[in-house]
């Protein structure tokens, strides 16, 4: 197979090196190796082929084009088959200097796989296309890797929404046997990393990195250089012991927030205000100056996870409806409301709406349209538009009056 292109190889090199153990004994590294090769092959595409990939130009995806990019897709499929992925990232060792350059290339891979899967389905190769879209979903779940952080996890969530949207758009026209294949493939997807794991491993590791630097400092000047964002080597207004105490307090906050994220949504909503007030007190009253540098914004993190969970559950509910009608639809519940999703029939499909309302930071109900539709808007005003033949959009029309929606 062609060697990895130098530009991508430099950008996507793991920040730690493997031991003498073989890749066969390190399945996480084996998966990452396939993904890195796919990224290198993507970088070697001609300018014209890469433009088709990046522009999502369905009309330009010819059989010859599919043959030229098959190696890329095959590497991703092999990596996904390994399930576990270790990108070679050690955030506790590298701290703020950790390299996450694979995230943008991973997003491009998912976009291309979604394009190819969509193209195959629309040209009658439904089962192949569905397999590619499922592989894109699986790869999205591999993006966070063994030591996931907030950025990589959110990237995975956003990427997974692309193939989910593509499947939903084409679902009403898929053959029954293809829908059954789709339904059987979903349980085999890798388990999605949790937001709690991201805080316990990736985000907390940043604090551990700084604490080690502080503990290793032997002079006031060395202590100043250990402080994130410090522009001078002058003495700091805190002692070494005070900084170590601040670090440990931040570490305990990460653990507390991770534990809170794992609780049911209703319990989380009751307890989150007190946690939020505690963090704000540390920042406003400058009780812990380090907190403002290393604590990320907590408010939206639960929403990212809820949205990903709702999107996947709504996809399953839409597939169940296509296979079994109302009975199947009712068998898949909103994971946070323990009730079926709201169902509205449209002229060329249908739209599912979650009963769970996202937290105040976003304040909207998540929706997933099935058929030639696209959603747009935010902040509580999510609208569904029909995709017309010329590619433009128009407000979707329900088959019944809005006041008497067809809700199961």
């Amino acid at each position: 197979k062609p060697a990895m292109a130098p530009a991508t190889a430099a950008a996507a090199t793991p920040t730690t090196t493997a031991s003498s153990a073989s890749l066969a004994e390190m399945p996480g590294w084996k998966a990452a190796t396939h993904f890195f090769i796919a990224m290198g092959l993507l970088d070697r595409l001609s300018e014209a082929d890469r433009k088709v990939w990046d522009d999502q130009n369905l009309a330009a995806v010819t059989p010859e084009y599919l043959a030229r990019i098959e190696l890329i897709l095959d590497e991703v499929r092999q990596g996904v088959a390994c399930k576990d992925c270790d990108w070679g990232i050690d955030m506790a060792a590298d701290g703020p200097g950790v390299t996450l350059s694979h995230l943008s290339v991973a997003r491009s891979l998912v976009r291309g796989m979604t394009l190819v899967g969509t193209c195959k389905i629309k040209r009658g190769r439904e089962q192949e296309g569905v397999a590619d879209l499922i592989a894109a979903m699986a790869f999205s779940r591999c993006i966070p890797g063994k030591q996931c952080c907030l950025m990589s996890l959110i990237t995975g969530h956003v990427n997974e929404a692309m193939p989910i949207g593509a499947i939903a758009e084409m679902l009403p026209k898929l053959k029954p046997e293809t829908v059954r294949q789709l339904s059987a493939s979903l349980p085999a997807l890798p388990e999605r990393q949790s937001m709690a794991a991201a805080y316990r491993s990736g985000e907390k590791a940043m604090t551990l990195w700084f604490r080690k630097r502080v503990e290793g400092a032997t002079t006031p000047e060395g202590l100043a250089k250990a402080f994130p964002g410090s522009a001078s080597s002058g003495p700091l207004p805190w002692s070494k012991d005070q900084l170590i105490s601040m670090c440990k307090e931040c570490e305990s906050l990460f653990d507390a927030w991770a534990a809170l994220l794992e609780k049911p949504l209703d319990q989380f909503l009751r307890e989150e205000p007190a946690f939020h007030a505690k963090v704000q007190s540390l920042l406003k009253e400058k009780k812990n100056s380090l907190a403002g540098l290393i604590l990320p914004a907590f408010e939206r993190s639960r929403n990212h996870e809820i949205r990903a969970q709702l999107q996947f559950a709504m996809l399953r509910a839409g597939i169940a409806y296509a296979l079994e009608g109302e009975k199947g639809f009712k068998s898949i519940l909103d994971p946070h409301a323990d009730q079926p999703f709201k169902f509205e029939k449209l002229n060329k499909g249908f739209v599912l709406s979650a009963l769970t309302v996202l937290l105040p930071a976003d304040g909207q109900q998540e929706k997933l349209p099935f058929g030639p539709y696209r959603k747009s808007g935010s902040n509580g005003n999510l609208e569904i538009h029909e995709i017309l033949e010329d590619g433009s959009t128009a407000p979707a029309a329900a088959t019944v009056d809005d006041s008497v929606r067809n809700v199961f």
Side-chain angles (χ1 to χ4, degrees), residues 84-140:
D84 295 327
C85 180
D86 184 351
W87 294 99
I89 292 169
D90 188 346
M91 302 190 75
D94 298 307
V98 69
T99 301
L100 297 175
S101 56
H102 67 287
L103 296 184
S104 61
V105 190
R107 179 166 176 78
S108 185
L109 278 176
V110 175
R111 282 174 58 85
M113 295 178 71
T114 302
L115 169 70
V116 171
T118 300
C119 177
K120 288 179 179 178
I121 290 174
K122 291 190 174 182
R123 296 179 186 176
R125 298 163 61 182
E126 289 190 357
Q127 295 192 352
E128 290 181 55
V130 163
D132 285 338
L133 292 174
I134 291 294
M137 291 177 65
F139 174 56
S140 298

Side-chain angles (χ1 to χ4, degrees), residues 223 227 235-243 246 286 289-290:
L223 199 61
F227 198 82
L236 295 173
W238 310 284
S239 68
K240 182 175 181 177
D241 289 342
Q242 285 176 316
L243 284 174
M246 289 182 196
K286 297 184 178 179
S289 300
L290 183 61

Side-chain angles (χ1 to χ4, degrees), residues 109-305:
L109 278 176
V110 175
R111 282 174 58 85
M113 295 178 71
T114 302
L115 169 70
V116 171
T118 300
C119 177
K120 288 179 179 178
I121 290 174
K122 291 190 174 182
R123 296 179 186 176
R125 298 163 61 182
E126 289 190 357
Q127 295 192 352
E128 290 181 55
V130 163
D132 285 338
L133 292 174
I134 291 294
M137 291 177 65
F139 174 56
S140 298
R141 296 189 178 193
C142 292
I143 289 172
K146 182 178 179 181
Q147 189 185 37
C148 72
C149 65
L150 199 58
M151 180 66 73
S152 61
L153 186 59
I154 292 174
T155 300
H157 289 168
V158 173
N159 285 357
E160 189 176 343
M162 287 190 278
I164 286 178
I167 292 170
E169 179 183 334
M170 296 178 288
L171 181 68
K173 292 187 176 181
L174 293 180
K175 298 174 183 177
E177 57 268 28
T178 306
V179 180
R180 285 192 288 270
Q181 171 201 352
L182 181 58
S183 179
S185 300
L186 296 182
L189 286 170
E191 185 176 353
R192 187 189 290 114
Q193 289 269 35
S194 70
M195 195 64 71
Y199 278 99
R200 282 200 181 99
S201 59
E203 304 310 312
K204 183 179 176 180
M206 291 289 187
T207 316
L208 295 172
W209 170 86
F210 177 57
R211 179 152 66 91
K212 288 178 181 178
R213 286 170 62 90
V214 170
E215 291 171 342
T218 57
T219 64
E221 291 76 15
L223 199 61
K225 291 179 180 179
F227 198 82
S230 178
S232 68
S233 58
L236 295 173
W238 310 284
S239 68
K240 182 175 181 177
D241 289 342
Q242 285 176 316
L243 284 174
I244 292 174
S245 177
M246 289 182 196
C247 287
K248 290 181 177 179
E249 184 173 35
C250 288
E251 291 163 24
S252 67
L253 284 174
F254 281 127
D255 287 334
W257 180 246
L260 192 56
L261 287 171
E262 291 175 324
K263 294 182 179 180
L265 185 57
D266 56 348
Q267 187 176 352
F268 171 87
L269 292 173
R270 290 195 302 270
E271 299 180 16
E272 189 274 340
F275 179 88
H276 182 79
K278 180 178 180 180
V279 174
Q280 290 304 311
S281 174
L282 288 174
L283 298 178
K284 290 180 180 179
E285 299 177 23
K286 297 184 178 179
K287 296 177 181 178
N288 187 333
S289 300
L290 183 61
L293 293 175
I294 62 177
L295 288 178
F298 287 112
E299 291 88 346
R300 292 181 181 272
S301 56
R302 186 71 193 258
N303 274 351
H304 283 293
E305 187 163 58

